[in-house]
PDB file of all heavy atoms in Angstrom:
ATOM      1  N   LEU V  30       6.961  -0.866  11.901  1.00 98.00           N
ATOM      2  CA  LEU V  30       7.199   0.491  11.331  1.00 98.00           C
ATOM      3  C   LEU V  30       7.827   1.376  12.312  1.00 98.00           C
ATOM      4  O   LEU V  30       7.158   1.672  13.316  1.00 98.00           O
ATOM      5  CB  LEU V  30       6.073   0.950  10.617  1.00 98.00           C
ATOM      6  CG  LEU V  30       6.246   2.291   9.805  1.00 98.00           C
ATOM      7  CD1 LEU V  30       7.195   2.020   8.583  1.00 98.00           C
ATOM      8  CD2 LEU V  30       4.968   2.914   9.237  1.00 98.00           C
ATOM      9  N   ASN V  31       9.128   1.821  12.066  1.00 98.00           N
ATOM     10  CA  ASN V  31       9.605   2.936  12.873  1.00 98.00           C
ATOM     11  C   ASN V  31      10.004   4.146  12.028  1.00 98.00           C
ATOM     12  O   ASN V  31      10.489   3.934  10.867  1.00 98.00           O
ATOM     13  CB  ASN V  31      10.910   2.420  13.523  1.00 98.00           C
ATOM     14  CG  ASN V  31      10.671   1.464  14.793  1.00 98.00           C
ATOM     15  OD1 ASN V  31      10.427   2.017  15.875  1.00 98.00           O
ATOM     16  ND2 ASN V  31      10.457   0.124  14.504  1.00 98.00           N
ATOM     17  N   LEU V  32       9.934   5.316  12.504  1.00 98.00           N
ATOM     18  CA  LEU V  32      10.333   6.494  11.712  1.00 98.00           C
ATOM     19  C   LEU V  32      10.922   7.572  12.505  1.00 98.00           C
ATOM     20  O   LEU V  32      10.470   7.744  13.758  1.00 98.00           O
ATOM     21  CB  LEU V  32       9.169   7.159  10.975  1.00 98.00           C
ATOM     22  CG  LEU V  32       9.382   8.235  10.115  1.00 98.00           C
ATOM     23  CD1 LEU V  32       8.480   8.288   8.880  1.00 98.00           C
ATOM     24  CD2 LEU V  32       9.138   9.618  10.882  1.00 98.00           C
ATOM     25  N   TRP V  33      12.002   8.103  12.137  1.00 98.00           N
ATOM     26  CA  TRP V  33      12.640   9.184  12.823  1.00 98.00           C
ATOM     27  C   TRP V  33      12.841  10.355  11.871  1.00 98.00           C
ATOM     28  O   TRP V  33      13.001  10.228  10.596  1.00 98.00           O
ATOM     29  CB  TRP V  33      14.133   8.738  13.174  1.00 98.00           C
ATOM     30  CG  TRP V  33      14.379   7.708  14.126  1.00 98.00           C
ATOM     31  CD1 TRP V  33      14.636   7.906  15.455  1.00 98.00           C
ATOM     32  CD2 TRP V  33      14.300   6.294  13.852  1.00 98.00           C
ATOM     33  NE1 TRP V  33      14.627   6.635  16.067  1.00 98.00           N
ATOM     34  CE2 TRP V  33      14.588   5.633  15.194  1.00 98.00           C
ATOM     35  CE3 TRP V  33      14.158   5.539  12.812  1.00 98.00           C
ATOM     36  CZ2 TRP V  33      14.594   4.158  15.266  1.00 98.00           C
ATOM     37  CZ3 TRP V  33      14.144   4.113  12.993  1.00 98.00           C
ATOM     38  CH2 TRP V  33      14.388   3.492  14.021  1.00 98.00           C
ATOM     39  N   PHE V  34      12.478  11.584  12.394  1.00 96.00           N
ATOM     40  CA  PHE V  34      12.956  12.789  11.773  1.00 96.00           C
ATOM     41  C   PHE V  34      14.237  13.256  12.523  1.00 96.00           C
ATOM     42  O   PHE V  34      14.151  13.840  13.584  1.00 96.00           O
ATOM     43  CB  PHE V  34      11.849  13.823  11.895  1.00 96.00           C
ATOM     44  CG  PHE V  34      10.681  13.427  11.071  1.00 96.00           C
ATOM     45  CD1 PHE V  34       9.339  13.666  11.599  1.00 96.00           C
ATOM     46  CD2 PHE V  34      10.752  12.988   9.844  1.00 96.00           C
ATOM     47  CE1 PHE V  34       8.258  13.377  10.835  1.00 96.00           C
ATOM     48  CE2 PHE V  34       9.515  12.687   9.020  1.00 96.00           C
ATOM     49  CZ  PHE V  34       8.304  12.823   9.652  1.00 96.00           C
ATOM     50  N   GLY V  35      15.412  13.162  11.922  1.00 96.00           N
ATOM     51  CA  GLY V  35      16.584  13.342  12.654  1.00 96.00           C
ATOM     52  C   GLY V  35      16.776  12.453  13.804  1.00 96.00           C
ATOM     53  O   GLY V  35      16.725  11.301  13.645  1.00 96.00           O
ATOM     54  N   ASP V  36      16.865  13.080  14.973  1.00 96.00           N
ATOM     55  CA  ASP V  36      17.015  12.214  16.253  1.00 96.00           C
ATOM     56  C   ASP V  36      15.583  11.957  16.876  1.00 96.00           C
ATOM     57  O   ASP V  36      15.546  11.347  17.914  1.00 96.00           O
ATOM     58  CB  ASP V  36      17.803  12.995  17.155  1.00 96.00           C
ATOM     59  CG  ASP V  36      19.368  13.087  16.729  1.00 96.00           C
ATOM     60  OD1 ASP V  36      19.817  12.153  15.960  1.00 96.00           O
ATOM     61  OD2 ASP V  36      19.944  14.033  17.082  1.00 96.00           O
ATOM     62  N   ASN V  37      14.559  12.513  16.351  1.00 96.00           N
ATOM     63  CA  ASN V  37      13.241  12.443  16.944  1.00 96.00           C
ATOM     64  C   ASN V  37      12.540  11.105  16.394  1.00 96.00           C
ATOM     65  O   ASN V  37      12.295  10.998  15.317  1.00 96.00           O
ATOM     66  CB  ASN V  37      12.385  13.663  16.556  1.00 96.00           C
ATOM     67  CG  ASN V  37      11.048  13.706  17.247  1.00 96.00           C
ATOM     68  OD1 ASN V  37      10.746  12.965  18.253  1.00 96.00           O
ATOM     69  ND2 ASN V  37      10.170  14.509  16.699  1.00 96.00           N
ATOM     70  N   HIS V  38      12.405  10.244  17.321  1.00 97.00           N
ATOM     71  CA  HIS V  38      11.729   8.947  17.039  1.00 97.00           C
ATOM     72  C   HIS V  38      10.233   9.092  17.123  1.00 97.00           C
ATOM     73  O   HIS V  38       9.605   9.057  18.227  1.00 97.00           O
ATOM     74  CB  HIS V  38      12.245   7.918  18.113  1.00 97.00           C
ATOM     75  CG  HIS V  38      11.905   6.454  17.737  1.00 97.00           C
ATOM     76  ND1 HIS V  38      12.221   5.442  18.530  1.00 97.00           N
ATOM     77  CD2 HIS V  38      11.289   5.997  16.656  1.00 97.00           C
ATOM     78  CE1 HIS V  38      11.869   4.274  17.828  1.00 97.00           C
ATOM     79  NE2 HIS V  38      11.290   4.507  16.838  1.00 97.00           N
TER      80      HIS V  38
END
Side-chain angles (χ1 to χ4, degrees):
L30 182 67
N31 285 269
L32 181 144
W33 293 260
F34 293 137
D36 295 328
N37 185 16
H38 195 179

